[in-house]
Amino acid sequence: MPSAQAIELTRVKHLFDITSGFNAPSDVAVSKDGRIYVVDGVNNAVKVFNYDGGLRSSFGEEGSANAQFERPLGIDIASSGKVYIADSGNHRVQIFNSAGLFDAEIKVPANNGKPGDPTDVVVDEPANRCYVVDNDNHRILVYDLITFKLIDTFGQPGTGNREFRYPFLIAQDKDKDLYIVDVINTRVQVLNRNGLFVANIGDWGVDKGHFFRPKGVALDKTGRVYVSDSYIGVIQVFDPSGAFLAAVGDLGATGVKKFKTPVGIFIDQNFRLYVVEMFANRVGVYSIVK
């Protein structure tokens, strides 16, 4: 990543850190009523915090029964308040109500003998669809939200459009386009809700607009796309077409802000940026100023 003098910065003000005995947390989401949900993967739990970062509750434990997890990774919160967790090691997505009580599960099938590997999920309630990232099988699975039946599959292994190499986390914009972090292809691939190719964001490299190991993606309400790079330790900002806009920098500082293994990220309606730093075992909370 070049020096700050050569790059535009999106300024953020640090508000607070959330630390609560995490062990390799991976993703974060915030409900409409301001509850912060953090996937605490190695601890096989989801921890819930108040908007000021105070611990509110926790649910989950190791296992394969309902409300138990095996290396959970990704999270999405539907507008209804239901919480969807990608329970990777159990090859399923579990659904909970807002209080953390088990509601249902979506089983992710094997593909050519390789077990399903759900790493993230995004919910499109108006379309009654749920999109699940199947990492090891290099594809996106589409489920009906009412019947939980598989209704479509996007992608296959490869480097072309609509192809993936270990997709990881996913987000959806206001137009319902899907932003999929395509890790080994070092890009974010954008598809519409029907799986048609829209754009690619990023490429391999360490210069601005490039990635080394992209992991997380989030959108603010203006449509700007934020992408975390876990290896370089930065977050970059793009427009929806893939044009580089800026890198995240601290308010009042001159340099690009460095994070420790940033993975899942989230931006709420108040322009607060949440950054999961996996190896630092914390979630940093920032106000986006510019």
Side-chain angles (χ1 to χ4, degrees):
M1 183 65 62
S3 67
Q5 288 74 20
I7 193 170
E8 180 70 16
L9 296 178
T10 290
R11 304 288 185 175
V12 296
K13 178 182 179 182
H14 180 250
L15 299 177
F16 56 87
D17 289 329
I18 300 174
T19 56
S20 183
F22 296 134
N23 190 350
S26 53
D27 203 7
V28 58
V30 181
S31 65
K32 286 186 174 180
D33 61 357
R35 282 177 284 184
I36 304 166
Y37 292 74
V38 180
V39 181
D40 191 7
V42 176
N43 286 326
N44 294 297
V46 176
K47 293 179 177 176
V48 188
F49 301 86
N50 296 323
Y51 203 59
D52 62 1
L55 181 64
R56 180 187 182 106
S57 62
S58 179
F59 59 91
E61 61 182 5
E62 185 175 8
S64 58
N66 294 343
Q68 295 181 332
F69 299 114
E70 187 65 37
R71 302 186 309 278
L73 285 168
I75 182 173
D76 192 33
I77 302 175
S79 58
S80 64
K82 288 187 178 182
V83 181
Y84 291 69
I85 305 294
D87 186 10
S88 175
N90 285 321
H91 321 296
R92 65 184 178 182
V93 171
Q94 290 199 69
I95 306 168
F96 299 84
N97 67 15
S98 59
L101 299 178
F102 175 82
D103 183 75
E105 71 172 6
I106 299 172
K107 295 182 179 179
V108 178
N111 183 43
N112 295 322
K114 185 175 290 187
D117 182 29
T119 54
D120 202 12
V121 54
V122 70
V123 181
D124 184 353
E125 284 186 322
N128 283 318
R129 290 183 176 184
C130 175
Y131 300 87
V132 179
V133 179
D134 187 357
N135 179 269
D136 273 354
N137 290 298
H138 317 286
R139 60 184 184 168
I140 309 299
L141 306 177
V142 188
Y143 290 87
D144 184 286
L145 272 184
I146 297 174
T147 65
F148 302 134
K149 290 183 178 179
L150 182 65
I151 58 175
D152 206 349
T153 302
F154 307 153
Q156 61 184 3
T159 60
N161 296 341
R162 303 183 78 250
E163 296 179 339
F164 302 100
R165 289 195 296 166
Y166 298 99
F168 190 54
L169 296 182
I170 185 173
Q172 194 171 35
D173 68 12
K174 59 183 176 57
D175 296 322
K176 304 306 179 182
D177 286 343
L178 304 167
Y179 292 71
I180 304 151
V181 181
D182 191 6
V183 176
I184 303 302
N185 284 329
T186 57
R187 64 188 178 187
V188 172
Q189 194 167 173
V190 187
L191 307 180
N192 71 13
R193 67 182 356 166
N194 295 315
L196 299 180
F197 176 78
V198 175
N200 280 319
I201 298 175
D203 202 346
W204 185 87
V206 295
D207 205 348
K208 64 181 183 180
H210 293 72
F211 306 123
F212 198 87
R213 279 294 180 270
K215 289 293 178 66
V217 59
L219 293 101
D220 68 25
K221 60 185 180 182
T222 71
R224 292 181 299 180
V225 185
Y226 294 65
V227 183
S228 65
D229 191 313
S230 64
Y231 185 86
I232 299 176
V234 301
I235 296 174
Q236 298 186 68
V237 187
F238 301 82
D239 73 16
S241 70
F244 173 82
L245 298 176
V248 168
D250 280 317
L251 184 66
T254 59
V256 173
K257 181 170 179 58
K258 288 297 188 78
F259 300 88
K260 188 173 183 180
T261 56
V263 188
I265 57 178
F266 187 88
I267 301 169
D268 70 17
Q269 291 300 300
N270 296 321
F271 281 97
R272 294 213 312 188
L273 169 67
Y274 303 78
V275 182
V276 178
E277 295 181 89
M278 179 176 278
F279 292 159
N281 290 314
R282 68 181 175 228
V283 177
V285 183
Y286 304 83
S287 175
I288 300 172
V289 179
K290 178 186 176 184

